[in-house]
Structure formats: C-alpha cells, structure tokens
Amino acid sequence: MPTAKRSAKDGDLSAFSAEYDGNATSELLVEALGNRDAEARWEISRRLLDDGADASPVGYGQSTLSILLGAHRWLGAHDGELAQRLVDAGASVNYRERRGRLAIHLAALTRAAADEDRRQLYEAFLAAHPASP
C-alpha cells in the first residue's frame, strides 16, 4: 500500500497528492529531494515547501541541499530553482555533509548538460552570503 513517504520518494505528483494529508514535514521533503524523476522531484518538493516544510534540518550527515545535489548524477531542469527555494527556506549552504563537502562542492561534481545550468545553483549559494563591501 502506497504511503505519502513512498510516493514522495518514488512517485509523481498525482501519486503523492493521493496519499498526502497536508502535513508538510521535513521527512517528506527529504524523500522528495531524493526522487530520481527530476520533474516529480521539483513538483513534490515545491508543494511541500509551499505548505511550509522546514528545509533546515540535517541528520545522518546530510542536509536538504546535500541530498538534492548528492543523490543525482545529473542536474534536473528545476534543481537550481529548487536549491534557491531550499536556501530561502533556511537550508544552510555551509553545512558539510558526511564526507566533508559543502553544497557548492556537490554542485560542481554533479553533471550538467552545460556549466550554464549550474548558474542558478551558484547564485543561490552566493546570495546566501553576499560579499562584504
């Protein structure tokens, strides 16, 4: 029997919506960020963030940003925008995941069709800590 957690991780938005009770937990967000389908990852994560999911929790050597960038070999079409939403919702760009890498390191390691595809990721990370005058 499907659950919201399982649908967030492996399903699409319609499957998730059928099981989702409106309780936007960080646990559901973490599952959605690990969804291998880039479009489903974007749609489900966006819904959870819109509903107030907390993007700041860390646990087991991972943060929401490190899961988004470390769980996928290729950047999805909306991963830059999703990273920006996570940062805006409190995700730390300075959290070191269990191997000691920052989100910006993971972004550089994640494959992209072109370096330009990474621009929104870098802008999200740098905007979190603007340069001093």
Side-chain angles (χ1 to χ4, degrees):
M1 180 167 174
T3 64
K5 184 176 175 181
R6 182 67 159 179
S7 296
K9 182 176 183 172
D10 298 323
D12 59 17
L13 183 60
S14 63
F16 174 74
S17 295
E19 302 299 326
Y20 178 56
D21 65 4
N23 185 16
T25 65
S26 57
E27 180 182 23
L28 284 176
L29 180 59
V30 164
E31 295 297 332
L33 293 170
N35 193 314
R36 294 190 186 278
D37 180 320
E39 192 64 28
R41 176 169 63 246
W42 162 244
E43 291 173 344
I44 297 168
S45 297
R46 183 179 60 183
R47 169 106 184 254
L48 290 166
L49 289 166
D50 287 347
D51 288 352
D54 184 2
S56 64
V58 296
Y60 305 108
Q62 297 291 329
S63 71
T64 53
L65 283 171
S66 67
I67 291 167
L68 172 65
L69 298 170
H72 310 291
R73 292 179 183 219
W74 287 88
L75 288 177
H78 299 285
D79 285 349
E81 188 174 352
L82 186 51
Q84 182 66 61
R85 295 277 316 264
L86 292 170
V87 169
D88 291 345
S92 172
V93 298
N94 292 320
Y95 179 78
R96 291 189 181 272
E97 49 90 75
R98 64 179 172 249
R99 294 183 187 113
R101 297 179 184 144
L102 297 169
I104 200 162
H105 296 131
L106 295 170
L109 295 171
T110 304
R111 295 178 181 153
D115 284 338
E116 184 65 27
D117 295 341
R118 290 188 179 92
R119 176 184 293 266
Q120 196 167 15
L121 290 172
Y122 297 142
E123 288 174 350
F125 302 151
L126 296 174
H129 296 286
S132 300

